[in-house]
Amino acid sequence: MARYQSIHIVGATGCTISVSPACPVAGPVHATSCRGGTSVSVACRQLRVHDCDGATFDVHVRSGPIIEGCRDVTFRGEYRPDAAEAVAEGEADQNMYHDVKDFNWQRAGMKSPNFVVVPVLSPGLGVPPSGGGAAAADGQGAVSASA
């Protein structure tokens, strides 16, 4: 199945957006101004989250998510790319969802209050260190993908 090169989610409010595990995103996913319980599930190379409030991201991401201007954002790592394609791409065990970098929080040694990381509890998915594929939306906002 063909991969998307990138996905941009803008202004989603109260949406559930899920990209098929059989079609992980080859490049970045950008989420901007997602609010009010919006939930995004996707496998991607990079996740950049800007000006979101009250959104949840259940992701499999090759590098740590980057947030800026966000509040009350949750990251989960339960989402898994299609096993066969992930192994072929060398991505099966490299989920860095827990390594969130908050560009608005510069206090060394103190965790940002702007996000929460939920540990993976499912067998075989690992736990973070201590300390086809169409997008679907059911609320308001814009989702675009480039192949």
Side-chain angles (χ1 to χ4, degrees):
M1 181 174 286
R3 287 179 158 211
Y4 292 116
Q5 292 302 310
S6 67
I7 292 181
H8 298 266
I9 304 165
V10 180
T13 301
C15 296
T16 298
I17 300 167
S18 182
V19 178
S20 170
C23 189
V25 180
V29 170
H30 297 270
T32 304
S33 300
C34 296
R35 309 231 183 286
T38 291
S39 176
V40 177
S41 299
V42 65
C44 58
R45 185 164 302 274
Q46 182 183 61
L47 177 65
R48 298 191 63 107
V49 182
H50 299 276
D51 303 316
C52 292
D53 189 353
T56 298
F57 295 88
D58 190 6
V59 296
H60 189 279
V61 61
R62 296 274 313 264
S63 62
I66 295 171
I67 68 171
E68 189 169 11
C70 295
R71 246 188 53 200
D72 192 27
V73 178
T74 301
F75 293 93
R76 300 174 51 88
E78 300 279 347
Y79 193 80
R80 300 290 290 175
D82 178 67
E85 179 148 348
V87 169
E89 296 292 326
E91 300 174 3
D93 294 320
Q94 299 179 9
N95 192 355
M96 299 298 293
Y97 80 97
H98 54 83
D99 189 23
V100 181
K101 295 161 186 74
D102 184 348
F103 281 13
N104 290 115
W105 188 258
Q106 303 301 319
R107 296 181 187 164
M110 294 181 64
K111 186 200 159 302
S112 165
N114 298 319
F115 68 91
V116 172
V117 173
V118 178
V120 174
L121 301 176
S122 297
L125 295 183
V127 177
S130 307
D138 64 3
Q140 299 174 3
V143 176
S144 66
S146 60

